Structure formats: structure tokens, C-alpha cells
Amino acid sequence: MRTLISLTAAACLSFAGMAHAEPLARLNVLCGVDEAWCAAMKDAVRSRLSIDATVKRRSTGEILDQVRSEKADPQTDVWWGGTGDAQLQAASEGLLQAYQPPSTAVMLPWADNFFDLSGGRSAGIYAGALGFAYNTELLKQKGLKAPACWKDLLDGTYADAIELADPNSSGTAYTALATLVQLFGEDEAFKFLSRLGANISSYPQSGSAPVKDAAHGDTLIGISFIHDAVTLRQAGYPLEIVAPCEGTGYEIGAVSIVKGAKNLDAARAFVSFALSAEGQATGAAAGQNQVPSNAGASLPPGAPDISMIRMVDYDFATFGSADERRRLLRRFDNEIRGIP
């Protein structure tokens, strides 16, 4: 672990001091986490930092597209949450501003490595393993065998009973695509996805939509991050959560300042808070179950024990690169969705 260096004195106002300062200029945040956490963070920075933030929830791919479209005249100050490989891509395209988080944020090694990969332009705030969940009541009604592995999802008895988000808009689904490539090799992964397509009922835009639909009985199986399924099961939905037997990938959710941000001081203060133990605790308070990146933050009670899940050595450098992402998404559209 590495203790990160302090911001300059001008930018490094203490949270307590800021609470009594004049309100900062309005902050514009694009949020890639669950709506409940977006709202909790908006309330927290208003009460704790006196920042009046406009927080809009978008899928990861939608955020990347918006930040690109605003390059000449940025309307967004902070990109907070969502899978970090898209933020690595944005960093490589010169869309994010380099910054140094505060010394109060002592980051876990995986977050430390992510920060280095981004060239100091994006910082990890949480981690979460990929998997799937099925509706136990629907499974019983249909008299089907419970899936335990990725390859179990190819069984014809699951025809039109599985949802996977569109990786063009969803960071979750792009993580699934990259995970399968790393597990099986690229050509075998696309053969898998082609066969899986026969069982897919829809490709929604949002990465959490498949598991939410499974929770409500609108589909049998949803491929998503495990922590999203845990949150729904805690709310009483009949979900069984699976970490696939072959192994799986994971995300590092991140936070970044957009290059050319118009409210830079407020953006720096937001990022400092997002990386603090207090800021990361807003996730658990909002019912979320990601693993926080700050070594001093408490692990949410329902957070999956990542050390007990068979994980791939996820290659963020490769799959977070702009060229590789574009190439894989193009192949997915051509071969799996039939889009020229």
C-alpha cells in the first residue's frame, strides 16, 4: 500500500472547514453506480462539503459517450462510479485531468495499481466480482436444474430465460465480455456468446437491469455484478447468487475529474471525499455491497468475500485500452447482435 500525497494547500481544505464555507459553485456529476447511492452521495456532499451537486445516473458506456461529446466544452466535472476500464479508456484519450488524491486516503493495492495504470487520472473507489443470479421461485416452477458455471448457461432449457446487458452501453456487460475472453480465449469466448445468444431474451442498456429483472420474475437468470444481486436479496427478493465455477472477472469502480472541468475546486473536494473512508461508507448506508478501496473503510456486511471467489487475473491495461475496447465491441455487434 502507498499513502497518497496531499493535494496543494489551496485545494486541500478539510471536510470540517468546508462545511462552514460559502457554498461552492454547482458541481455536475455523472454517476455510474446504483440510483440509491447516487442520491446518498448527493446528500452527503451537500451536508458535509456544502457542495450543491447535480448528480445524473447513466450507464458506463453512456457516460463515456457524453464525456467524449463534450470534449470541446465540458459540461461534466466529475465521473463517479461505473466500471473503471472505461475511465482508463477516457484517460488514454485525454478526456480526464491528472490529479493527486489526498494523503488521508490510504488505498488498497488493487486501487493503487489502478491509479498508476490511469497515469494519475482516475482512482479506484470500489471493487466487485462478476457473476449471475437466478430466481429460485421461477426455477422451481419450471422444474429446471440450477446453473453453477458459465457453460451451464448454454443449456437449451434456459431458452429466452437469460439477460445480459449490451456491452456498448453497460460497463458490467463489457466486463463480462472481457472476462469470457480471458477465461476461454477470444475465439472460444465468441463461440460461447453465440451459443448463449439463443438463450438471451434481451440485451438491456443498464448493467444492473438483468439481475433486477430476475429479482422481479421478468427473467430467470441475470448476468451482473454479485454485489447488485446481494443488495436485491437483502431486500427480500428470491435470488440465488452464483460465482461461476470456471472463474470470473471483476470491476474496479472509479472516480475521475473531467479535463476542462468548470468547477475544479468542487471537483477536487468531491473526489477527496469519495476516496475517504467516510465517503465510501455512503455506499453501505445506501444498501450497496461493493468492496471499498480505502483501507480504513468498513466492509459492508453483505459484501461478497472476493478472496473466496475464483478470479481471473483481469488485465485492465489491455481491456481498458481504447483500441481493444472498440475492436471487441465491433466484433460483438457483428457476430453476436448481427449489426454491421
Side-chain angles (χ1 to χ4, degrees):
M1 281 185 284
R2 171 166 56 85
T3 302
L4 301 177
I5 303 170
S6 298
L7 289 167
T8 61
C12 191
L13 296 172
S14 71
F15 298 143
M18 293 182 68
H20 299 289
E22 291 297 319
L24 296 174
R26 175 179 287 273
L27 186 68
N28 293 309
V29 179
L30 290 178
C31 176
V33 297
D34 187 85
E35 291 90 343
W37 195 359
C38 296
M41 192 66 163
K42 174 184 172 69
D43 291 343
V45 298
R46 175 183 284 273
S47 63
R48 194 72 178 90
L49 307 181
S50 296
I51 291 176
D52 184 15
T54 297
V55 181
K56 296 179 180 178
R57 204 278 169 190
R58 300 282 188 273
S59 294
T60 301
E62 294 174 319
I63 296 176
L64 178 57
D65 288 344
Q66 182 170 337
V67 171
R68 280 174 173 158
S69 70
E70 295 175 355
K71 182 177 181 179
D73 183 24
Q75 302 302 305
T76 302
D77 300 306
V78 173
W79 177 351
W80 176 62
T83 51
D85 46 12
Q87 297 194 39
L88 290 177
Q89 182 173 350
S92 72
E93 295 178 14
L95 300 173
L96 306 179
Q97 178 163 319
Y99 66 102
Q100 188 68 55
S103 59
T104 51
V106 180
M107 314 309 291
L108 293 171
W110 49 264
D112 224 18
N113 293 336
F114 182 88
F115 183 78
D116 291 340
L117 275 176
S118 76
R121 290 173 171 80
S122 188
I125 49 176
Y126 61 81
L130 185 73
F132 54 85
Y134 59 87
N135 186 301
T136 56
E137 294 178 356
L138 275 182
L139 192 83
K140 185 176 180 180
Q141 289 173 16
K142 294 174 179 289
L144 299 179
K145 182 181 177 181
C149 307
W150 288 115
K151 291 187 176 179
D152 290 344
L153 301 183
L154 303 181
D155 192 314
T157 60
Y158 300 135
D160 295 322
I162 301 173
E163 283 189 17
L164 169 69
D166 183 348
N168 289 282
S169 61
S170 163
T172 304
Y174 179 76
T175 300
L177 172 58
T179 292
L180 293 169
V181 169
Q182 291 170 88
L183 274 175
F184 303 138
E186 185 171 328
D187 289 341
E188 287 302 313
F190 275 89
K191 288 178 184 177
F192 172 90
L193 287 164
S194 180
R195 292 179 62 192
L196 181 66
N199 291 343
I200 295 290
S201 58
S202 67
Y203 294 94
Q205 283 195 314
S206 169
S208 62
V211 75
K212 288 179 178 178
D213 287 344
H216 291 97
D218 297 324
T219 193
L220 176 62
I221 302 168
I223 298 171
S224 190
F225 286 117
I226 289 174
H227 54 253
D228 288 329
V230 169
T231 298
L232 289 162
R233 189 171 64 182
Q234 287 176 333
Y237 291 100
L239 290 178
E240 185 65 30
I241 300 166
V242 179
C245 69
E246 301 96 335
T248 192
Y250 65 100
E251 69 165 332
I252 294 177
V255 62
S256 307
I257 297 175
V258 175
K259 189 172 183 179
K262 293 181 170 63
N263 302 300
L264 188 55
D265 286 344
R268 286 173 173 161
F270 182 100
V271 169
S272 298
F273 184 69
L275 291 170
S276 70
E278 180 185 356
Q280 293 187 3
T282 60
Q288 306 304 296
N289 288 287
Q290 290 92 327
V291 176
S293 65
N294 188 304
S298 298
L299 191 69
D305 186 351
I306 292 179
S307 68
M308 300 298 291
I309 298 173
R310 185 178 180 183
M311 306 283 269
V312 300
D313 185 12
Y314 197 98
D315 187 348
F316 287 96
T318 296
F319 294 95
S321 73
D323 290 343
E324 186 68 359
R325 184 183 178 92
R326 278 194 292 266
R327 187 185 68 80
L328 286 176
L329 290 175
R330 190 179 304 116
R331 184 171 182 182
F332 181 88
D333 286 343
N334 290 343
E335 296 185 21
I336 308 306
R337 301 298 304 277
I339 301 172

